[in-house]
Amino acid sequence: MAEHLTVRHASGQGVEDISLRVAAGEFVVITGRIGSGKSTLVRGLLGLIPHQAGDIRWNGVTVEDPASFLVPPRSAYTAQIPNLFSDTLAENVLSGASEEALERALRLAVLDRDLHELPRGLETPVGARGVKLSGGQIQRAAVARMLARPAELLVFDDVSSALDARTEAQLWEGLGRELGSACLVVSHRRAALLRADRIIVLSAGRKVAEGQLSELLRTSPEMRELWEEGQA
């Protein structure tokens, strides 16, 4: 998916010379300390910020304009701070998708069980930026919106930070069980790392390790420290 990618902000901070791939159906986690470049990397991959060097590829073909190419049905993305608009929950989730997809998207996002707690269920107005929902509900509403339309690659930028461990585990397990999509997940949380087929460890904007969790805990000092400190 990326070869020797470099993405820098105006401050000079960013990620340098990173190569990664995500195969069909694979669950890949990008992890690292705060400020290691995780969000910068995925935003650069998706063309949401410009990259200064390297290639972004889709099935081996170079993508010239990732911002317009990596959209549904190829790719879908949920940001670290999801943006909901001031309308009903149903309208936020559907966002142009068919109503038939709504029930499945809510279930996969582990949001269906919250509906009875909301005063008007799916017709509950969420308020500007989702102010009437909890942090976890905002994240899951954004995930449901992403899942309401099919995409080959699902990109999650730390979307489970406000979820309890059980809900997060249900989210990742459901995606793995019912979807054939590849998942690229930015997370330091153990539920995601335990689910991962492969983990990419970043430090100071560079990839310092890559592999399965058991292997990295044996071979990567950075991964061991993150795990022991509870940052991963």
Side-chain angles (χ1 to χ4, degrees), residues 19 74 101 121 130 134 154 180:
S19 297
R74 296 186 185 95
S134 70
L154 303 173

Side-chain angles (χ1 to χ4, degrees), residues 16 34 40-41 45 68 86 112 138 157 206:
E16 191 86 18
I34 295 172
T40 298
L41 175 57
L45 281 170
S68 62
S86 187
D112 52 347
I138 291 172
D157 189 355
R206 290 191 175 269

